[in-house]
């Protein structure tokens, strides 16, 4: 199921981390891959998010891939899934005071 | 290592081979620690304090690296290196902090050993800029230049820098530990909001000594530092600090991160009991081993010998002419330039607060320019202030106009030091992993609203300080107007306090009323200013004085009238 | 668990006897401070060496009066971030003149080894599977100190000095 389809079912969660080597914000994508863009993030039902998160944490510690791993809430706005909080919106885009920097600049 | 000496002129502590070897060894050590982390030998939990002690944080978008600028003083060579690193490893800018340091926001862990190596080439490092250790000791940005100076704080700050570097006993304290020293009549270092604040004084024999204030700090529970000892002689300076730190390391709380600072220990034990513990420890420690030898003090003082000032008349014709011809310069002169102890010289504050700009940010090009100007006009040396500005401390009055023109062309000529546009703001939610709300956009909106330099002059001395969370890196508690960002169900709100004061008459501000939205906050600040202007007895009455006289009521009424 | 001494893995002659278990009389053992307090009379006339283990919150003063009874004091680190043990060791040495073995037990990491040695520890109980190389490096990778070391009784003539540990 694509991110878009799932988010229609109500409040969803995405899983995020910072990549160990360079600190880049990454999201858990389909198939357990870490992706840089929130648009490619996999979305999980609240009930399944805890299990996926625990698994991702264990895997990241084994592989030294990501740090500070957690799940955050995603809501739908104008038909598009967006992070529910300002903090996560800023992480997915970049500083609101420097639109030339971060993912939003790419 | 290719070593580039940071210029052998004013005000810089000169590393010798021992200092260089130490920093080089620490760089290598960190390189291996990074390798051990990447290989999985160190867990993130174990690596975190190690990277923090090398100034490396994980923030919202990337790693953040905080470079130590010991007591806020650096050379032009060092600033140029900071600019070069910002271009090569970051995004072309840096952020000057309230701890008189510089931080980069877009650093890669794997680049960090190389960055530290480059810093070491100019005798710089990032050691102890984070972690639960003694942090960079801060002092008066006008040190060595101010007319009201009694004791040179750099000498003792440098002694403490050395003393606390990799201190074997005090590197895993309950929480971070910040020390500030002021040796002038006016306190420009906010000493009483530090874990230990030192006022350096002289007795009637001319000997230096220190008043120790302990347990100041902002954050969740703000406290003003309490006087623990009125006079500690120079020779006991290190022993007394060692005693305080040992009491703190043994008795400070470790069960709750919010109660782990020394201010809570002083509060919970009570000043009398705390002082007694320190005095007992001090009585034992006092002795030859911990006695600060006057020769060490003299040796360190040599590094801070006055630069070769020319003998000049105090009056400058060139300055007077420029002042008469250029009102914008005259305004800057009035606001950003302070008196120097040497005739014919002046202290110039370079504002990093352009109207609508990001407080404390400087581009690498601006850093290069300031480095050039420091070389041309101030013996190759500059300072970072705790209000996130830069200072050229020894500028000939004859050259002030040239200096200002160059600064102004580069967007660094704002005439707002100490005025309403000179806002402190922490990085807030735009960068910081701890923040609850953004701080920078509000600072930008307020400084844009009050952009008119004449209006700012009319309002006079008024410090606005903004923090994006209760940790209070933006010093909001001691802002004449303080603003604290809070998160209410995913929306940013701002709580306004008034009456804070970071100087010797330190005061924590009072909350004026319920938190407001960002847009309301800008209007509320303007309303506060209007009420002040309507109530003050004359241009001489500062905002904080009017507030004391008329109380909160008129301000509250205006802001919350509609509720 | 591996014992680290002088930067190398060494032989551990000591064993810790948990509270409630019988204490052998024929070899060096470490008991808890709590047990010592409760059963001190039972150790009268003991010939084999005795050691005591202090929890991280137990400060040096608590054991000061009895130090001559112990050939070893083990100082526990509940978490490596909890640095009280550094002061405990220093107080044992400087304030109470203790000359026996001081051992770090609990959670410590190689990156702390130099700090441990410089505050008076003589040995460290390292976790199983630890990398011996990291402990060896920890004593030699930084050779400069800015404070006097424990055996340095001369006045503070210079802040910076070359270290002579390891």
């Amino acid at each position: 199921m694509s991110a878009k389809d799932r988010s229609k079912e109500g409040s969803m969660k995405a899983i995020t981390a910072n990549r160990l080597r360079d600190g880049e914000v990454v999201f858990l994508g389909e198939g357990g891959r870490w992706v840089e863009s929130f648009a490619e993030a996999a979305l999980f039902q609240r009930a399944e998010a805890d299990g996926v998160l625990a698994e991702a944490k264990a895997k990241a510690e084994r592989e030294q891939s990501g740090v500070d791993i957690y799940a955050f809430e995603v809501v739908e706005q104008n038909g598009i899934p967006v992070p529910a909080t300002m903090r996560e919106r800023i992480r997915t885009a970049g500083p609101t005071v420097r639109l030339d920097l971060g993912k939003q600049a790419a | 290592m290719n070593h580039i000496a940071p210029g052998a002129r004013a005000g810089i502590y000169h590393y010798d081979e021992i200092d260089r070897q130490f920093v080089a060894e620490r760089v290598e050590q960190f390189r291996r620690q990074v390798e051990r982390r990447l290989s999985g030998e160190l867990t993130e939990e174990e690596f975190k304090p190690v990277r923090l002690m090398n100034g490396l944080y994980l923030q919202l978008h990337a790693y953040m690296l905080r470079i130590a600028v010991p007591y806020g003083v650096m050379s032009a060579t060092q600033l140029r290196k900071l600019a070069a690193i910002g271009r090569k490893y970051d995004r072309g800018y840096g952020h000057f902090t309230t701890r008189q340091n510089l931080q980069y926001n877009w650093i890669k862990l794997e680049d960090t050993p190389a960055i530290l190596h480059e810093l070491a080439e100019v005798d710089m490092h990032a050691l102890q800029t984070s972690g639960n250790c003694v942090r960079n000791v801060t002092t008066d940005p006008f040190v060595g230049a101010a007319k009201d100076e009694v004791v040179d704080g750099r000498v003792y700050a440098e002694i403490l820098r050395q003393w606390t570097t990799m201190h074997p006993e005090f590197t895993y304290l309950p929480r971070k530990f910040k020390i500030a020293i002021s040796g002038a009549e006016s306190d420009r270092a906010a000493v009483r909001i530090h874990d230990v604040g030192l006022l350096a004084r002289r007795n009637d024999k001319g000997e230096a000594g220190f008043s120790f204030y302990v347990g100041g700090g902002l954050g969740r529970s703000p406290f003003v530092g309490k006087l623990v000892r009125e006079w500690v002689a120079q020779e006991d300076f290190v022993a007394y600090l060692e005693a305080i730190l040992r009491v703190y390391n043994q008795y400070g709380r470790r069960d709750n991160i919010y109660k782990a600072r020394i201010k809570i220990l002083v509060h919970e034990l009570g000043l009398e009991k705390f002082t007694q513990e320190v005095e007992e420890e001090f009585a034992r420690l006092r002795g030859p081993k911990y006695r600060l030898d006057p020769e060490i003090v003299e040796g360190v003082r040599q590094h801070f010998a006055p630069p070769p000032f020319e003998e000049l008349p105090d009056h400058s014709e060139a300055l007077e002419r420029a002042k008469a011809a250029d009102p914008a310069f005259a305004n800057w002169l009035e606001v950003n330039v302070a008196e120097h102890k040497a005739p014919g010289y002046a202290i110039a504050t370079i504002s990093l607060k352009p109207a609508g700009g990001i407080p404390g940010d400087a581009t690498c090009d601006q850093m290069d320019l300031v480095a050039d100007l420091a070389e041309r006009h101030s013996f190759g040396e500059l300072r970072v202030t705790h209000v996130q500005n830069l200072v050229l401390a020894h500028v000939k009055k004859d050259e002030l106009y040239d200096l200002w023109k160059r600064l102004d062309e580069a967007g660094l000529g704002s005439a707002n030091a100490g005025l309403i546009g000179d806002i402190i703001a922490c990085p807030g939610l735009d960068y910081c992993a701890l923040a609850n709300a953004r701080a920078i956009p509000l600072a930008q909106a307020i400084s844009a609203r009050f952009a008119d330099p004449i209006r700012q002059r009319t309002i006079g001395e008024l410090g606005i300080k903004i923090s994006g969370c209760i940790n209070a890196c933006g010093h909001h508690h001691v802002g004449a107007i303080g603003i604290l960002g809070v998160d209410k169900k995913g929306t940013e709100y701002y709580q306004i306090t008034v009456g804070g004061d970071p100087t010797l008459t330190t005061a924590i501000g009072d909350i004026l009323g319920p938190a407001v939205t960002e847009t309301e906050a800008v209007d509320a600040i303007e309303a506060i200013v209007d009420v002040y202007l309507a109530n003050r007895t004359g241009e001489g009455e500062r905002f904080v004085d009017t507030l004391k006289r008329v109380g909160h009521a008129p301000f509250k009424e205006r802001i919350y009238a509609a509720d | 668990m591996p014992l680290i001494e002088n930067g190398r893995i060494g032989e551990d002659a000591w064993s810790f006897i948990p509270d409630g278990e019988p204490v052998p009389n024929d070899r060096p053992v470490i008991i808890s401070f709590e047990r010592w307090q409760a059963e001190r009379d039972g150790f009268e006339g003991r010939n084999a060496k005795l050691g005591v283990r202090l929890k991280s919150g137990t400060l040096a003063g608590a054991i000061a009066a009895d130090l001559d009874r112990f050939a070893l004091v083990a100082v526990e680190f509940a978490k490596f971030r909890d640095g009280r043990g550094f002061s405990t060791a220093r107080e044992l040495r400087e304030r109470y003149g203790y000359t026996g073995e001081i051992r770090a037990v609990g959670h410590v990491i190689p990156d702390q080894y130099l700090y441990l040695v410089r505050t008076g520890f003589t040995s460290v109980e390292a976790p199983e599977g630890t990398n011996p190389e990291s402990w060896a490096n920890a004593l030699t990778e930084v050779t400069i100190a800015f404070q006097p070391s424990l055996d340095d009784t001369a006045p503070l003539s210079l802040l910076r000095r070359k270290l002579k540990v390891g």
Side-chain angles (χ1 to χ4, degrees):
Chain A
M1 213 186 303
S2 76
K4 208 174 163 186
D5 297 334
R6 288 237 190 155
S7 66
K8 284 179 186 158
E9 296 168 23
S11 168
M12 307 286 290
K13 292 217 167 183
I15 290 170
T16 184
N18 290 81
R19 202 154 56 205
L20 175 66
R21 284 183 172 276
D22 59 5
E24 177 75 34
V25 174
V26 287
F27 306 93
L28 199 62
E30 300 293 340
R33 250 177 350 107
W34 290 106
V35 294
E36 290 188 18
S37 162
F38 176 66
E40 293 169 41
L43 297 183
F44 304 96
Q45 298 286 357
R46 278 173 168 272
E48 63 180 329
D50 286 351
V52 178
L53 178 63
E55 200 181 305
K57 275 186 179 172
K59 187 159 175 265
E61 189 66 53
R62 272 198 313 276
E63 297 172 355
Q64 282 76 53
S65 51
V67 290
D68 202 13
I69 305 174
Y70 59 92
F72 64 90
E73 202 170 319
V74 175
V75 293
E76 192 177 300
Q77 247 173 37
N78 307 322
I80 300 165
V82 290
T85 63
M86 177 64 83
R87 183 183 198 273
E88 297 310 324
R89 287 201 289 279
I90 290 173
R91 279 182 85 249
T92 57
T96 64
V97 294
R98 288 292 302 264
L99 299 178
D100 57 326
L101 297 175
K103 296 179 189 296
Q104 63 201 353
Chain B
M1 185 182 298
N2 289 326
H3 191 87
I4 305 152
R9 284 190 284 180
I12 306 293
Y13 172 78
H14 298 292
Y15 275 25
D16 65 9
E17 284 318 307
I18 294 184
D19 296 296
R20 280 185 193 134
Q21 188 184 338
F22 172 75
V23 173
E25 287 174 355
R26 285 295 307 256
V27 171
E28 278 315 300
Q29 181 186 43
F30 191 60
R31 186 188 302 280
R32 278 194 293 273
Q33 285 164 333
V34 170
E35 280 167 13
R36 284 162 63 213
R37 173 68 190 110
L38 293 174
S39 77
E41 184 189 330
L42 285 177
T43 65
E44 185 61 19
E45 194 208 356
E46 290 171 334
F47 180 62
K48 190 175 171 186
V50 167
R51 72 163 154 75
L52 289 178
M53 266 170 229
N54 285 278
L56 192 65
Y57 285 74
L58 184 59
Q59 291 291 28
L60 285 189
H61 313 290
Y63 291 95
M64 178 270 272
L65 183 65
R66 185 180 292 153
I67 312 301
V69 181
Y71 30 94
V73 181
M74 72 176 132
S75 70
T77 315
Q78 290 172 326
L79 183 60
R80 248 182 229 117
K81 175 58 89 175
L82 294 178
I85 290 172
R87 282 193 195 96
K88 186 166 168 188
Y89 299 101
D90 204 86
R91 308 281 164 93
Y93 71 108
H95 178 75
F96 290 98
T97 76
T98 56
R99 297 281 308 143
Q100 300 174 256
N101 291 322
L102 175 111
Q103 56 200 38
Y104 300 111
N105 294 303
W106 304 90
I107 295 297
K108 297 175 177 170
L109 174 62
E110 53 198 1
D111 285 342
T112 315
I115 297 171
L116 297 181
H117 185 83
E118 289 206 23
L119 282 172
E121 289 175 0
V122 292
D123 299 348
M124 293 189 97
H125 58 68
L127 297 173
Q128 295 181 210
T129 57
S130 178
N132 294 335
C133 52
V134 183
R135 304 285 189 88
N136 187 20
V137 177
T138 55
T139 192
D140 185 347
F142 293 176
V143 66
K147 215 164 188 174
D148 65 346
E149 183 166 282
V150 185
V151 174
D152 187 333
R154 287 171 299 189
V155 176
Y156 301 93
E158 173 57 28
I159 288 169
L160 288 186
R161 184 190 72 79
Q162 297 191 18
W163 181 259
T164 58
T165 293
M166 249 183 108
H167 195 296
E169 187 179 346
F170 305 130
T171 296
Y172 292 87
L173 294 168
R175 199 76 181 86
K176 58 189 168 184
F177 203 89
K178 299 175 182 175
I179 303 174
I181 305 180
S182 166
E185 278 161 28
S186 317
D187 174 11
R188 287 173 289 260
V191 296
R192 293 185 71 192
I193 60 168
H194 286 77
D195 295 283
V196 167
L198 300 164
L199 289 182
R201 296 276 177 259
R202 288 194 187 279
N203 63 14
D204 45 20
K205 288 184 222 150
E207 298 160 338
F210 303 86
S211 297
F212 271 69
Y213 289 87
V214 185
L218 303 177
R220 190 166 297 232
S221 328
F223 285 101
V224 176
K226 298 175 181 71
L227 184 63
V228 166
R229 206 181 223 256
E230 179 75 44
W231 180 262
V232 173
Q234 175 180 288
E235 65 169 31
D236 293 327
F237 177 60
V238 168
Y240 206 76
L241 258 173
E242 188 98 1
I244 290 170
L245 279 160
R246 182 168 291 172
V247 168
Y248 173 51
N249 193 41
Q250 292 186 103
Y251 298 103
R253 286 182 62 171
R254 292 175 188 266
D255 58 328
N256 180 339
I257 190 176
Y258 299 113
K259 300 195 170 180
R261 294 288 287 272
I262 197 172
K263 62 190 175 184
I264 303 294
L265 178 66
V266 174
H267 178 69
E268 287 183 354
L269 279 183
L271 180 61
E272 199 180 326
K273 176 86 171 102
F274 175 81
T275 305
Q276 188 193 330
E277 292 283 347
V278 170
E279 289 288 333
E280 276 176 20
E281 198 68 54
F282 172 58
R284 269 192 303 277
L285 287 171
R286 200 176 195 176
K289 184 165 166 181
Y290 290 96
R291 179 174 161 270
L292 182 59
D293 193 322
E295 277 183 37
I296 292 184
V297 181
E298 273 321 301
V300 174
R301 194 187 307 284
Q302 302 293 316
H303 292 263
F304 303 106
F309 292 123
E310 288 172 39
E311 272 191 41
L312 298 172
D314 200 39
H315 183 83
S316 160
E317 265 312 312
L319 179 64
E320 292 308 319
R321 277 196 305 273
K323 203 164 118 183
D326 190 333
F329 169 66
N331 189 45
W332 180 79
L333 187 67
E334 198 64 43
V335 175
N336 284 39
V337 176
E339 277 195 291
H340 196 287
K341 60 184 175 190
Y345 286 85
I347 305 169
T349 296
I350 301 172
S351 169
L352 297 179
K353 320 287 176 64
I358 298 178
D361 272 14
T363 66
C364 294
D365 291 348
Q366 287 176 328
M367 289 186 223
D368 277 341
L369 173 71
V370 172
D372 289 347
L373 294 173
E375 261 167 5
R376 185 179 306 193
H377 299 292
S378 196
F379 302 96
E381 175 241 273
L382 69 140
R383 292 94 187 276
V384 184
T385 79
H386 83 269
V387 285
Q388 304 179 281
N389 290 322
L390 301 176
V391 164
L392 296 185
H394 313 293
V395 184
K396 278 187 204 165
K397 287 183 177 176
D398 286 351
E399 298 175 0
L400 280 167
Y401 189 43
D402 284 344
L403 169 67
W404 176 76
K405 280 190 289 190
R406 295 287 304 278
L407 288 172
D408 201 40
E409 281 164 19
L412 294 167
S414 298
N416 58 12
L419 303 184
I420 196 166
D422 190 5
I423 300 170
I424 290 183
C426 72
L429 194 54
D430 280 299
Y431 291 99
C432 177
L434 300 173
N436 292 320
R438 288 173 296 165
I440 296 169
L442 188 52
Q444 290 176 304
I446 295 170
S447 69
R449 179 78 62 97
F450 291 96
D452 176 5
I454 303 306
R455 188 176 180 202
Q456 290 200 50
R457 276 289 294 286
T458 308
I459 297 165
E461 183 187 323
L462 202 169
I464 296 184
K465 303 182 197 299
I466 309 175
S467 306
C469 81
I470 194 65
N471 291 310
C473 296
H475 295 182
H476 67 276
H477 293 112
V478 290
I481 299 176
I483 302 175
L484 167 65
V486 295
D487 172 90
K488 283 189 182 176
K489 292 181 183 152
T491 306
E492 296 161 300
Y493 277 83
Y494 297 90
Q495 194 171 66
I496 299 171
T497 55
V498 289
D501 176 2
T503 68
L504 283 180
T505 43
T506 312
I508 306 292
D510 301 308
I511 295 172
L512 206 53
V516 296
T517 64
E518 184 187 328
T519 322
E520 288 168 347
V522 183
D523 292 337
I525 302 306
E526 195 162 36
I528 291 171
V529 169
D530 289 344
V531 172
Y532 156 58
L533 293 177
N535 280 275
R536 72 178 177 188
T537 52
E539 286 226 4
E541 193 179 58
R542 298 176 310 159
F543 169 75
V544 285
D545 299 323
T546 304
L547 179 73
K548 264 182 216 148
R549 189 169 50 75
V550 305
H552 293 174
F555 296 95
K556 276 189 186 168
E557 268 165 38
R558 176 74 72 90
I559 295 175
Y560 298 105
D563 294 354
Chain C
M1 274 185 277
L3 185 77
I4 310 289
E5 230 168 346
N6 301 317
R8 288 183 299 275
I9 294 194
E11 281 292 307
D12 191 358
W14 294 84
S15 40
F16 177 70
I17 308 299
D19 292 355
E21 288 181 21
V23 178
N25 283 319
D26 55 348
R27 56 191 171 91
V29 296
I30 304 168
I31 57 166
S32 75
F33 174 66
E34 289 70 26
R35 183 172 199 163
W36 167 253
Q37 284 179 302
E39 303 171 20
R40 55 183 301 154
D41 294 346
F43 295 98
E44 287 292 337
R46 178 186 165 85
N47 287 322
K49 286 185 192 168
L50 193 61
V52 67
R53 179 179 172 125
L54 308 180
K55 290 216 166 74
S56 40
T58 307
L59 303 180
I63 197 73
D66 299 330
L67 281 172
D68 56 351
R69 302 291 303 277
F70 300 108
L72 177 149
V73 178
V75 177
E76 191 176 296
F77 286 73
K79 265 275 171 217
F80 75 102
R81 291 190 303 270
D82 182 342
R84 281 178 289 193
F86 296 107
S87 287
T88 306
R90 190 124 189 218
E91 293 254 284
L92 286 172
R93 296 284 188 225
E94 282 188 6
R95 181 169 168 188
Y96 301 112
Y98 184 66
T99 54
E101 180 172 348
I102 303 180
R103 177 178 292 191
V105 298
H107 188 197
V108 290
I109 58 176
D111 309 88
Q112 293 177 308
Y113 190 24
L114 185 61
Y115 301 83
L116 291 167
V117 170
R118 293 189 59 216
T119 49
F121 285 90
T122 35
S123 60
V124 182
E125 207 177 85
E128 219 55 73
T130 197
N131 181 359
E133 208 183 315
S134 299
W135 293 91
N137 283 342
L139 287 195
T140 53
E141 59 194 358
V142 177
T143 64
I144 310 286
F146 292 81
Q147 305 81 19
S149 51
L150 274 168
D151 54 358
D152 207 341
T153 49
L156 188 54
S157 56
L158 257 179
L159 289 170
R160 300 153 314 114
R161 63 201 57 227
K162 304 245 182 189
L163 270 176
K164 291 183 224 85
V165 297

